[in-house]
Amino acid sequence: MSGKENNFPPLPKFIPLKPCFYQNFSDEIPIEHQVLVKRIYRLWLFYCATLGINLIACLAWWIAGGSGANFGLALLWLLLFSPCSYVCWFRPAYKAFRSDSSFNFMAFFFIFGAQFILTVIQAVGFSGWGACGWLAAIGFFQTSVGAAVVMLLPAIMFSMSAAMMAIMIMKVHSIYRGAGGSFQKAQTEWSTGTWRNPPSREAQFNNFSGNSLPEYPTVPSYPASGGQWP
């Protein structure tokens, strides 16, 4: 990763902060996995948009007579889950495909699985969770039809997010198992410490090629055509 300047998140120049990550799909992700990794990234964007719509719906819920605690929790989920979901499950997926890292694949499966369960709960819409899911939206039609219609939008989006997450985790697991990945490989990466900054596939190939080329003795100097052998 040396020599590559961080470019994500893209921040305006007037903000005195610098990007935290380097992200370049065409440069770091093998071409056969670029489409899948981009879809995982778009899923993250869609989930963040869902949290934003959920915040607006919870505001409508509050204005129409609902609890203000739901709006407060919705704001907390937006501020907390947007960056944390990027760091905790998209980046492991990105690094896993970038360097074929079993540890990062395992981190993605566990954290993304927990995210899927949470998204299902948000789609259901239990009272007091700060999520406008189906139960909250349908139950509020008796109080305010307008607010309930607004609340249906995040319920639909949470459901779509959960469905896409289920499809994505099955696709990634299929690729991982098909490539011979295992929990033992993840344990090896943990014990050796390579999980902290796994080398890219290109770096692994260069190291392999450079260290595995056999060394041959110096080619002897033969006499020119017509010369005498000593």
Side-chain angles (χ1 to χ4, degrees), residues 3 22 28 44 54 57 59-60 75-76 85 100 108 122 134 146 161 166 176 186 189 194 204 222:
Y22 178 77
E28 294 195 309
W44 171 73
N54 178 67
L59 178 60
L75 179 60
L76 177 63
S85 57
D100 193 22
F108 169 76
Q122 290 173 320
W134 293 104
S161 296
Y176 177 66
E189 290 184 16
T194 56
Q204 294 179 35
Y222 296 103

Side-chain angles (χ1 to χ4, degrees), residues 221-230:
S221 178
Y222 296 103
S225 178
Q228 297 294 326
W229 285 91

